[in-house]
Amino acid sequence: PGRKRRRPLSTIQTVTETLIRLAKQAIHPDTVLVFPDDLFEVQRTPSVILQGPKLTEDRFRRSQSRLFEKNVAELSFEECRFPRLYHLDFDLVVTVDREAELLGFHESVSRFLQLYPEIAIADQGSLNLTELVPLGGLARVNLSNLRQSSGRIRIESCPVYDGDLRDGRLIRDRTFQFHGDVTEQRTIQP
């Protein structure tokens, strides 16, 4: 049997950091992450805030099966439980001085979501990025003379593994022996 070891995965952190880097590149270079219930004061404008993530489990895709990954070239395998999948919701809050600037950010955010319908995660594939509420669709309490708009985006089905990983060797050759009227031996190679 294979030996057990721990797989160090921090998928939620990796995905969140990837989203922030993309937002800094495509929306505004000073985009910051604020956790869901933290208070945040805008020091200078324009300001782009990603507030989150708020996690909800994708319960319809929960599975009791196990994942197997074969490496035929090295004749090895890795096995683990199927991960739990979580949606990561982020409120996107834009604060500016003038209405014209705000309209420009509406366009930038819309373009961002069109250019990045998926977020590529290094060595793990990609996850869907969707718009739940367009920028300007969420009501916000704004007690300043600044212009503010907010929306909500979601990274869908982010996997979270339990960390237990079993690995081992694949069978290289199989030998079958037949006995009875005809005695024969065959070796089948991969």
Side-chain angles (χ1 to χ4, degrees):
R3 56 178 194 209
K4 283 193 164 196
R5 58 189 168 102
R6 300 288 292 174
R7 174 185 276 185
L9 290 176
S10 57
T11 315
I12 293 174
Q13 180 179 350
T14 303
V15 170
T16 302
E17 289 171 352
T18 303
L19 176 64
I20 293 168
R21 280 192 298 276
L22 287 174
K24 284 182 179 224
Q25 175 187 340
I27 299 172
H28 192 268
D30 292 330
T31 301
V32 294
L33 175 71
V34 176
F35 289 101
D37 295 325
D38 286 355
L39 295 176
F40 184 81
E41 183 179 344
V42 173
Q43 299 294 326
R44 64 179 189 263
T45 59
S47 167
V48 178
I49 299 169
L50 283 170
Q51 193 168 19
K54 295 175 189 163
L55 277 69
T56 54
E57 185 182 0
D58 190 356
R59 287 180 283 150
F60 296 113
R61 295 186 59 199
R62 187 186 288 182
S63 174
Q64 299 301 317
S65 66
R66 299 188 68 80
L67 292 177
F68 290 90
E69 188 175 313
K70 295 186 294 185
N71 184 341
V72 178
E74 295 181 15
L75 292 171
S76 64
F77 75 90
E78 290 183 343
E79 171 194 15
C80 66
R81 283 191 186 104
F82 194 82
R84 290 277 176 100
L85 303 174
Y86 293 93
H87 298 310
L88 309 179
D89 293 348
F90 295 87
D91 286 351
L92 182 63
V93 182
V94 175
T95 307
V96 295
D97 291 324
R98 297 182 318 274
E99 290 85 356
E101 270 185 295
L102 192 56
L103 293 174
F105 274 103
H106 280 256
E107 190 171 324
S108 295
V109 170
S110 181
R111 189 178 310 116
F112 168 71
L113 292 165
Q114 289 175 24
L115 290 173
Y116 299 102
E118 295 180 335
I119 293 183
I121 309 304
D123 301 330
Q124 295 184 28
S126 61
L127 299 173
N128 292 336
L129 175 64
T130 57
E131 181 178 52
L132 297 179
V133 179
L135 190 63
L138 288 179
R140 295 213 44 96
V141 175
N142 188 358
L143 303 175
S144 68
N145 61 351
L146 299 172
R147 307 301 173 254
Q148 199 170 61
S149 190
S150 61
R152 185 168 292 144
I153 58 176
R154 170 179 279 180
I155 298 173
E156 297 179 351
S157 303
C158 179
V160 175
Y161 294 87
D162 66 359
D164 286 332
L165 180 70
R166 196 178 115 197
D167 62 356
R169 306 289 301 161
L170 292 175
I171 297 172
R172 183 179 183 282
D173 299 323
R174 296 169 299 264
T175 302
F176 296 93
Q177 294 179 351
F178 302 97
H179 298 281
D181 292 341
V182 177
T183 302
E184 182 180 346
Q185 179 173 327
R186 288 189 187 176
T187 299
I188 301 172
Q189 297 178 347

